[in-house]
Amino acid sequence: MSVVFCRGQEELDSGICMKGLNLLGHAQMIELSIGSECGGHGKCGRDRIVISPEDRHKVSPPTAIESAQLSAAQLGAGMRLGCQCFPESDGLSLRVFLPVR
Ligand code: FES
């Protein structure tokens, strides 16, 4: 059970899923850059990810910071900021899609 980041055909498994670690942190554990420019302070809006539809109930609800950075349509489509989004519990399987750059 872990967080798997999908970019195109590539799948990168973080190997863990921890409630106290945001999804940006999970990516950083495997040295995967997802675009953070503000150090995870919710200011840059660059660490955009999309949670797979079947896994959206497994993560924390959008924060006020995300509501300010992302449109309602983006949030409705599962887009989140990695630094603001946490697994709801340890040991979950989560699939997270990254923009292809
Ligand atoms: S890292 Fe900048 S908003 Fe998340």
Side-chain angles (χ1 to χ4, degrees):
M1 305 294 172
S2 60
V3 178
V4 176
F5 295 92
C6 308
R7 179 178 279 157
Q9 299 298 314
E10 192 177 21
E11 293 194 357
L12 300 151
D13 192 333
S14 70
I16 59 160
C17 177
M18 295 193 301
K19 181 179 181 181
L21 183 65
N22 63 33
L23 296 182
L24 172 62
H26 282 80
Q28 289 173 332
M29 285 194 67
I30 55 171
E31 299 182 359
L32 171 63
S33 172
I34 63 170
S36 168
E37 292 180 4
C38 70
H41 296 291
K43 294 188 169 48
C44 71
R46 299 280 297 164
D47 56 332
R48 295 180 181 199
I49 56 177
V50 176
I51 310 297
S52 67
E54 61 271 18
D55 291 342
R56 290 177 193 162
H57 67 286
K58 300 179 186 174
V59 297
S60 57
T63 65
I65 288 171
E66 290 175 290
S67 295
Q69 293 263 5
L70 302 170
S71 70
Q74 288 171 322
L75 288 167
M79 185 173 284
R80 303 292 302 272
L81 299 179
C83 67
Q84 302 296 305
C85 186
F86 290 79
E88 286 283 28
S89 63
D90 294 335
L92 296 174
S93 291
L94 293 176
R95 288 178 68 79
V96 176
F97 297 94
L98 305 176
V100 177
R101 296 186 175 154

